[in-house]
Amino acid sequence: VFRPRGAATDFPYERDKRMKPLRTAALLAAGTILAAGCAQTEPADTAAPQLSGTTYVWKTTGAETEPFIAFDEKGGVHGQSGCNGFFGGVKVEGDAVAFTNLGSTMKMCAPEAMEVEARFMKALTETKRVRQSETALDLLNGEGAVLLTLERKN
């Protein structure tokens, strides 16, 4: 009697012999995935910054008003950039920080104040991370270079 391989009339042990390599491969793959998921990871070099409810100032000369940034509890920011007021959002994911939807008033000030404002706002838009201590906040670019150091006000 001719029976093709894999036919329903195969004895169970014959099917088991053919499936053994597949079962072994599947078990090895599952074990590898489980082991990778349980592996411990190194703690991050920097903890996520706690910005909510804080205010930082930039001590500089030439501004008409002291540049500062205040972080609220709802993910928003506002402040003075040296001449104009500004507002927007902040997105914090781990140690990554992005200032979003920044807008400002548009009055003209003395050239020195406008230069301070341009540098301050440029630093905010280029910030990719921050380094926070008890007394200061460093705004860092993507390479980790300090764009500005702000002093904590509260």
Side-chain angles (χ1 to χ4, degrees), residues 61-63 109-117:
T61 59
C109 295
E112 300 83 21
M114 297 304 291
E115 288 175 24
V116 168
E117 178 171 278

Side-chain angles (χ1 to χ4, degrees), residues 11-91:
F11 291 110
Y13 69 87
E14 289 177 7
R15 275 191 302 254
D16 287 346
K17 286 181 190 176
R18 290 191 308 267
M19 295 300 289
K20 188 174 183 176
L22 289 174
R23 271 193 308 233
T24 303
L27 287 172
L28 285 172
T32 302
I33 291 169
L34 285 173
C38 294
Q40 291 186 351
T41 58
E42 294 292 318
D45 288 347
T46 57
Q50 301 300 315
L51 301 173
S52 180
T54 60
T55 300
Y56 291 89
V57 297
W58 182 32
K59 301 291 185 183
T60 186
T61 59
E64 289 187 10
T65 58
E66 183 176 62
F68 76 91
I69 185 167
F71 298 87
D72 67 32
E73 288 79 16
K74 295 180 181 178
V77 295
H78 70 275
Q80 287 288 329
S81 55
C83 174
N84 287 288
F86 71 92
F87 51 89
V90 62
K91 195 175 285 190

Side-chain angles (χ1 to χ4, degrees), residues 101-140:
N101 301 321
L102 292 175
S104 71
T105 58
M106 298 181 64
K107 69 178 186 173
M108 288 296 294
C109 295
E112 300 83 21
M114 297 304 291
E115 288 175 24
V116 168
E117 178 171 278
R119 183 166 174 216
F120 189 80
M121 295 306 289
K122 183 177 182 202
L124 291 182
T125 59
E126 291 179 358
T127 296
K128 303 295 181 212
R129 292 183 31 237
V130 295
R131 182 172 46 228
Q132 187 178 35
S133 70
E134 289 183 27
T135 59
L137 183 70
D138 291 330
L139 305 181
L140 310 172

